[in-house]
Amino acid sequence: MKKILLFLFLGAVGFTAYSCDNNDDTPVQTVDYDTIAQMKDITGTFSNSGNYTISQGLGIPSTYVVLVYRLVGGNAWQQIPKSVYLPDVSGKPTNRVFDYNFLFNSQNVEIRIDDENFNLASDLTSGEITSYLNNQTFRIVLVPANTTGVGGSNKKASVDTSDYNAVVKYYNLDESKVQVLK
């Protein structure tokens, strides 16, 4: 009888020690195969009649973050919001500056020119109108808001969203499959 009690006691201690392991509290990281980043291009012209706004209807899930980049020089993408400082030109106001900016909701992305300290309609040269207002191409990148793979975690993604190439690499985006919106 004493031997049976000893084995029962050792079994109870062993079971208790094994069940008190806290390793199961760590969330399991999984790969999310149904939430994928997307890229869409939009080209438009900012005009006074359109309140210097380019608007694009999109269905944006609540689990996504919207990043917007402007094509600069035909081969580089620059994240917006971005302030543009124009050089002083004879006959125009000095220290001219404006911002490319954007707003979005679940149905729409609106890219606009904000906070100009001069009259865009009359105080831009024809070259500046061509460079900054006409036929501007923007890339809208929709990325998952939670990139850690752990639900509810406050960890941030280890990607610099101001660097377009880093975003493309991190999310494994294929630039040949960009959807062009009209």
Side-chain angles (χ1 to χ4, degrees):
M1 179 76 172
K2 290 181 183 179
K3 288 184 180 183
I4 293 176
L5 288 176
L6 177 65
F7 286 119
L8 287 174
F9 176 74
L10 288 175
V13 168
F15 179 74
T16 303
Y18 181 76
S19 66
C20 289
D21 184 13
N22 286 333
N23 288 339
D24 62 344
D25 293 341
T26 305
V28 176
Q29 292 202 7
T30 60
V31 177
D32 188 356
Y33 291 105
D34 64 345
T35 306
I36 56 171
Q38 304 170 32
M39 295 190 297
K40 301 169 188 299
D41 281 357
I42 179 173
T43 300
T45 296
F46 293 102
S47 67
N48 189 22
S49 64
N51 293 323
Y52 298 100
T53 299
I54 299 171
S55 190
Q56 179 62 54
L58 290 174
I60 303 170
S62 62
T63 57
Y64 279 75
V65 172
V66 177
L67 304 172
V68 179
Y69 300 88
R70 178 179 166 258
L71 184 61
V72 179
N75 61 359
W77 294 100
Q78 182 179 65
Q79 187 180 30
I80 65 171
K82 176 70 176 170
S83 294
V84 177
Y85 299 91
L86 299 173
D88 291 340
V89 177
S90 177
K92 302 291 182 187
T94 58
N95 300 319
R96 297 173 298 153
V97 64
F98 67 87
D99 295 333
Y100 288 108
N101 208 342
F102 74 100
L103 296 171
F104 72 94
N105 59 31
S106 63
Q107 303 299 315
N108 192 47
V109 174
E110 183 178 277
I111 303 167
R112 61 189 192 177
I113 293 181
D114 282 339
D115 301 328
E116 64 275 5
N117 65 352
F118 62 97
N119 186 332
L120 287 170
S122 62
D123 292 333
L124 287 173
T125 66
S126 61
E128 291 168 340
I129 290 171
T130 301
S131 296
Y132 299 111
L133 301 183
N134 293 344
N135 297 317
Q136 297 297 299
T137 300
F138 295 91
R139 180 155 292 169
I140 300 167
V141 182
L142 304 174
V143 296
N146 182 2
T147 59
T148 62
V150 180
S153 175
N154 288 331
K155 293 181 182 178
K156 293 188 177 184
S158 58
V159 61
D160 178 8
T161 57
S162 67
D163 180 354
Y164 171 77
N165 293 319
V167 171
V168 168
K169 183 177 180 181
Y170 184 84
Y171 291 102
N172 197 26
L173 297 169
D174 185 352
E175 291 190 82
S176 68
K177 296 182 179 176
V178 174
Q179 182 182 2
V180 178
L181 305 172
K182 296 179 183 186

